[in-house]
Amino acid sequence: MEKIARRRFLGSTLKMGALLPVLGTPAKLLIDNNDKDYTPADIPDRIILTVTPDLATSVTMNWRTAGKSGDNLVEYTVADAHPEFTANAVRVKATARAFRFGNISALNCRVTINNLKPDTLYAYRLGNESGWSEWMQFRTAKSNTEKANLSFIYLGDAQVGIRPLWSRVIRKAYAAMPDAQLIIHAGDLVNRANEDKEWGDWFAAGGYIHGSTPALMTPGNHEYIHEDGNPHLSIYWNEQFLLPDNGPANELLKGSCYFTDVQGVKIISLNTQMIEEALTEDLINRQVAWLHQTLKHNPQQWTCVVMHHPVYSTKKGRDNKKVREHLKPIFDQYSVDLVLQGHDHAYARGMDKIPLTGGAAGSRSGTTYIVSVSGSKMYETEPMEWADIIGSHLQVYHAVNITNSTLAFRSYLATGELFDAFDLVKEKGRQNELIDKRPSNK
Ligand SMILES: [Fe+2]
């Protein structure tokens, strides 16, 4: 296994933080200690597109306003270079929910737009006569894709240094891949689940990118609070992200366990916090049973799982045994192609050295596991048997391009430099072949 460490540019303060992974204490230098004012206004903010089960014909729009008066609306139409395209816009009323928490008082709005034309550029704005957003554009996915054809961005934990340092990563990723069909966030978007400023930072860092490319997010442990000793999902999560309602029928898994099928690829979000910290076995069983059902009836050419806690970690003391024991046999049984994870504040990937559950000696799983991080919190790593490569003290983003039977996975540093690369090649009736394409200097 190759272990790659980068010089720590931020000196001893960061080093101290990185050496305290169990406590998860970030160095002072990296905490977002800003006084930015995120008071809601008449003009909508925190605008984000979220995935639906069918991105070829629908998309969900989410935003926030001060909510002083009137209906909250979306106007949308097929985009056109002629600025008078706005005259063709259709107006739709959103669902608005009062959100009061601490000294925050806002209106959270959302609407799913259906019956869109596939592979079409749309323009939209949202708000009302008290204040409108700018016109933003997004493209619907292609429908009836005979052969898989999908591009997406994948980001690990943002969590710390969100506005000062995560911003450069999501912006670099979007600049490199503006036509990506979706952006995947693998949990721990923020550090403190119910801290409004951190959510404000997360939206500010992504800016118009959030409103231009649908997002698929899964919660991490930092999206949970434990004020009464039990885990509770952030009150922000399902209020600001309306996510597909095709998961298990359980309130504790709402907005965290779901899937979308897009251009020949099934992308499944799982809630690993509700495996690691589930209060009942029944809750785990429900998620596991749903995953079995979802994978059993899966006509898509490729299958990716997004979840926060890694099946295989980048340090021995960070093992997630329950996640591995419950999920890995299912990934093996149904030949899941790619598992996208976060949590360890490092980068790693592996496949060939991971044994198939119940397989003969020397067998390999055929599923590729990735651990990643996009924010500024960094943890130390150790050489791990499962991993082909481990990188530490690096902010990274990933560009995934799937074309028929080839999945090209590229890992870039925050600076844009290619850091790791491999292709997965799918052949019917066989396990995926992993072709290492990492740059020769890595
Ligand atoms: Fe985490």
Side-chain angles (χ1 to χ4, degrees):
M1 189 220 56
E2 189 168 339
K3 182 174 187 293
I4 297 170
R6 282 282 164 129
R7 187 160 62 88
R8 272 159 263 160
F9 294 97
L10 299 177
S12 57
T13 314
L14 167 58
K15 196 171 177 181
M16 283 174 65
L19 288 171
L20 294 168
V22 176
L23 295 175
T25 310
K28 270 187 189 165
L29 193 61
L30 302 178
I31 290 179
D32 309 20
N33 190 15
N34 69 61
D35 293 318
K36 198 161 165 50
D37 180 11
Y38 289 122
T39 305
D42 287 342
I43 293 179
D45 64 6
R46 304 194 182 184
I47 299 166
I48 187 162
L49 301 179
T50 46
V51 296
T52 61
D54 179 13
L55 285 169
T57 60
S58 62
V59 73
T60 297
M61 298 164 179
N62 312 258
W63 71 99
R64 182 188 83 151
T65 77
K68 282 181 188 145
S69 62
D71 290 341
N72 292 276
L73 307 166
V74 168
E75 291 185 346
Y76 72 96
T77 183
V78 173
D80 193 284
H82 195 306
E84 289 179 11
F85 75 88
T86 58
N88 300 326
V90 175
R91 190 172 264 202
V92 177
K93 192 175 158 188
T95 302
R97 295 148 69 103
F99 182 81
R100 289 197 178 78
F101 181 68
N103 59 357
I104 306 295
S105 177
L107 208 58
N108 285 330
C109 306
R110 72 263 299 261
V111 61
T112 299
I113 309 288
N114 292 304
N115 302 315
L116 297 173
K117 294 179 201 164
D119 195 18
T120 301
L121 189 71
Y122 280 88
Y124 74 99
R125 68 172 184 169
L126 32 86
N128 60 27
E129 298 313 326
S130 301
W132 289 99
S133 71
E134 67 273 39
W135 286 91
M136 305 178 79
Q137 299 189 150
F138 69 93
R139 181 172 288 280
T140 50
K142 299 178 183 72
S143 65
N144 303 322
T145 316
E146 265 181 38
K147 289 174 179 168
N149 177 10
L150 180 71
S151 302
F152 64 84
I153 292 165
Y154 151 49
L155 299 169
D157 307 28
Q159 193 180 336
V160 170
I162 300 168
R163 199 168 67 89
L165 286 164
W166 180 68
S167 47
R168 65 178 182 149
V169 180
I170 186 170
R171 292 171 194 179
K172 195 77 179 165
Y174 182 72
M177 218 178 180
D179 296 325
Q181 268 93 8
L182 66 155
I183 301 180
I184 288 174
H185 303 272
D188 284 4
L189 282 59
V190 296
N191 194 41
R192 290 167 291 181
N194 287 343
E195 185 61 48
D196 190 78
K197 270 200 163 150
E198 294 190 16
W199 287 113
D201 280 352
W202 190 86
F203 280 101
Y208 70 87
I209 299 167
H210 294 310
S212 307
T213 306
L216 184 154
M217 56 274 288
T218 197
N221 53 306
H222 282 268
E223 270 78 50
Y224 280 79
I225 56 162
H226 298 80
E227 281 174 348
D228 62 359
N230 294 328
H232 298 279
L233 182 60
S234 165
I235 59 166
Y236 282 80
W237 191 265
N238 282 313
E239 291 297 321
Q240 65 190 6
F241 305 136
L242 179 60
L243 291 159
D245 188 20
N246 53 13
N250 186 294
E251 201 54 31
L252 296 175
L253 299 172
K254 185 183 171 197
S256 57
C257 192
Y258 60 88
F259 69 87
T260 182
D261 290 331
V262 52
Q263 296 181 186
V265 183
K266 183 177 288 292
I267 305 178
I268 301 170
S269 167
L270 297 178
N271 186 332
T272 51
Q273 187 71 7
M274 288 295 100
I275 293 177
E276 284 293 309
E277 280 199 342
L279 295 180
T280 63
E281 279 300 308
D282 176 64
L283 187 62
I284 298 176
N285 294 341
R286 279 171 187 249
Q287 189 169 187
V288 163
W290 174 82
L291 182 60
H292 269 290
Q293 280 303 112
T294 303
L295 290 172
K296 195 183 270 181
H297 309 287
N298 177 13
Q300 305 301 322
Q301 198 174 356
W302 290 85
T303 303
C304 302
V305 166
V306 181
M307 57 192 220
H308 185 64
H309 297 76
V311 166
Y312 295 99
S313 300
T314 56
K315 198 164 194 265
K316 290 186 181 75
R318 296 187 56 77
D319 193 32
N320 306 296
K321 193 162 174 265
K322 285 175 83 175
V323 165
R324 184 171 55 259
E325 287 181 354
H326 284 286
L327 298 181
K328 182 177 179 288
I330 309 175
F331 297 160
D332 284 342
Q333 182 179 346
Y334 298 100
S335 302
V336 167
D337 297 295
L338 192 59
V339 181
L340 305 171
Q341 310 154 111
H343 192 55
D344 278 357
H345 300 275
Y347 170 68
R349 57 115 166 142
M351 179 177 87
D352 285 342
K353 291 183 262 178
I354 298 171
L356 187 71
T357 306
S363 68
R364 64 186 186 102
S365 81
T367 298
T368 305
Y369 292 87
I370 312 284
V371 176
S372 189
V373 58
S374 58
S376 65
K377 186 182 185 182
M378 300 283 141
Y379 282 172
E380 296 294 331
T381 58
E382 289 174 358
M384 300 297 284
E385 268 178 30
W386 69 273
D388 293 325
I389 178 169
I390 291 185
S392 53
H393 303 285
L394 300 162
Q395 285 182 267
V396 287
Y397 66 88
H398 310 281
V400 181
N401 282 289
I402 300 176
T403 312
N404 191 13
S405 56
T406 301
L407 182 152
F409 189 101
R410 301 290 180 266
S411 302
Y412 294 94
L413 303 182
T415 50
E417 182 190 349
L418 182 64
F419 177 70
D420 185 25
F422 65 87
D423 287 355
L424 294 179
V425 179
K426 187 182 280 295
E427 267 187 63
K428 211 168 185 179
R430 299 184 59 176
Q431 288 186 317
N432 292 343
E433 182 186 0
L434 190 151
I435 302 168
D436 202 317
K437 296 203 160 183
R438 87 184 80 163
S440 53
N441 61 338
K442 294 292 182 288

